[in-house]
Amino acid sequence: MKIILLQDEKKLGKKGDVIEASDGFARNYILPKKIGIEATAKNMNDLKLQKANEDKHAKEQLDAAKALAAQLEDKQITVRIKGGEGGRTFGSVSSKEIAAACQEQHGIEIDKKKIQMTESLKNFGSYEVPIKLHPQVTGKLMVKVVEV
C-alpha cells in the first residue's frame, strides 16, 4: 500500500514522502496514528499543490532577502560611543546596538540574531558587518563607530 507521510517518522521517511508499506502495517499503525494517509489520486494531487505552494513561498522569501541585501549594500550606519585614550572605546558596540541604529537611521528592521559578528567592535573606525538574511543570502552593512 502506498502511503503519504504527514510528519517525519524515524525509519519511514520525511513529511511528504510517498512510501510503500505493507497493508497490515499501514492499517494498524500508520493510518490510526495519523502518521500518514493513503496515496489516492486526490491526496497525491493535494501533495503536489502543497509542495508547489511551499516552493513559491520559499522563492518569495529568497527574493525578499536578496532585495534587502542589495538595499543594505549602499547603507552606512553610525554608532556613537564614549571614548578613552589611544582611540579605544569605553565598552563595545554589540549586535543589539547595530540593529537599533539601523532601525533608527534607515527604518530597516534587522533581527540582532542575524548579525554575525565574530567579536564586539571595541575601536573607532569603519567596519563591514555580515548579516545572514537567509540560509543562501548574506548581506553586508557598513558600521562606523565614532566618539560622542
Side-chain angles (χ1 to χ4, degrees), residues 84-101:
E85 294 178 17
R88 300 276 299 170
T89 62
F90 286 130
S92 63
V93 178
S94 66
S95 59
K96 181 179 179 182
E97 293 165 332
I98 292 172

Side-chain angles (χ1 to χ4, degrees), residues 1-4 18-19 31 36-44:
M1 178 183 286
K2 288 194 180 263
I3 301 290
I4 300 172
V18 179
I19 63 165
L31 297 176
I37 55 174
E38 192 172 345
T40 61
K42 179 193 177 302
N43 290 341
M44 291 295 285

Side-chain angles (χ1 to χ4, degrees), residues 58 60-73 102 108-116 129-141:
E60 288 174 357
Q61 288 177 344
L62 179 63
D63 291 343
K66 285 181 181 177
L68 183 58
Q71 188 179 9
L72 288 175
E73 286 292 325
C102 189
I108 300 172
E109 189 171 329
I110 297 174
D111 186 11
K112 68 178 183 177
K113 295 174 188 156
K114 294 184 178 189
I115 299 173
Q116 297 183 321
V129 178
I131 301 171
K132 188 150 183 120
L133 302 170
H134 188 271
Q136 301 170 355
V137 179
T138 302
K140 301 221 183 277
L141 179 65

Side-chain angles (χ1 to χ4, degrees), residues 32-148:
K33 292 191 180 250
K34 306 234 187 299
I35 295 171
I37 55 174
E38 192 172 345
T40 61
K42 179 193 177 302
N43 290 341
M44 291 295 285
N45 191 33
D46 290 346
L47 175 67
K48 187 166 68 171
L49 291 173
Q50 184 180 7
K51 282 189 177 183
N53 193 23
E54 289 173 359
D55 290 344
K56 180 183 171 192
H57 284 300
K59 185 174 179 353
E60 288 174 357
Q61 288 177 344
L62 179 63
D63 291 343
K66 285 181 181 177
L68 183 58
Q71 188 179 9
L72 288 175
E73 286 292 325
D74 58 343
K75 302 279 189 213
Q76 178 177 342
I77 63 169
T78 304
V79 179
R80 300 183 187 284
I81 191 168
K82 287 184 181 180
E85 294 178 17
R88 300 276 299 170
T89 62
F90 286 130
S92 63
V93 178
S94 66
S95 59
K96 181 179 179 182
E97 293 165 332
I98 292 172
C102 189
Q103 172 69 31
E104 178 185 311
Q105 294 173 18
H106 298 293
I108 300 172
E109 189 171 329
I110 297 174
D111 186 11
K112 68 178 183 177
K113 295 174 188 156
K114 294 184 178 189
I115 299 173
Q116 297 183 321
M117 297 188 334
T118 54
E119 56 188 46
S120 297
L121 308 179
K122 296 180 181 178
N123 293 321
F124 296 114
S126 293
Y127 300 93
E128 194 173 84
V129 178
I131 301 171
K132 188 150 183 120
L133 302 170
H134 188 271
Q136 301 170 355
V137 179
T138 302
K140 301 221 183 277
L141 179 65
M142 287 300 296
V143 178
K144 187 174 185 181
V145 181
V146 295
E147 191 172 0
V148 176

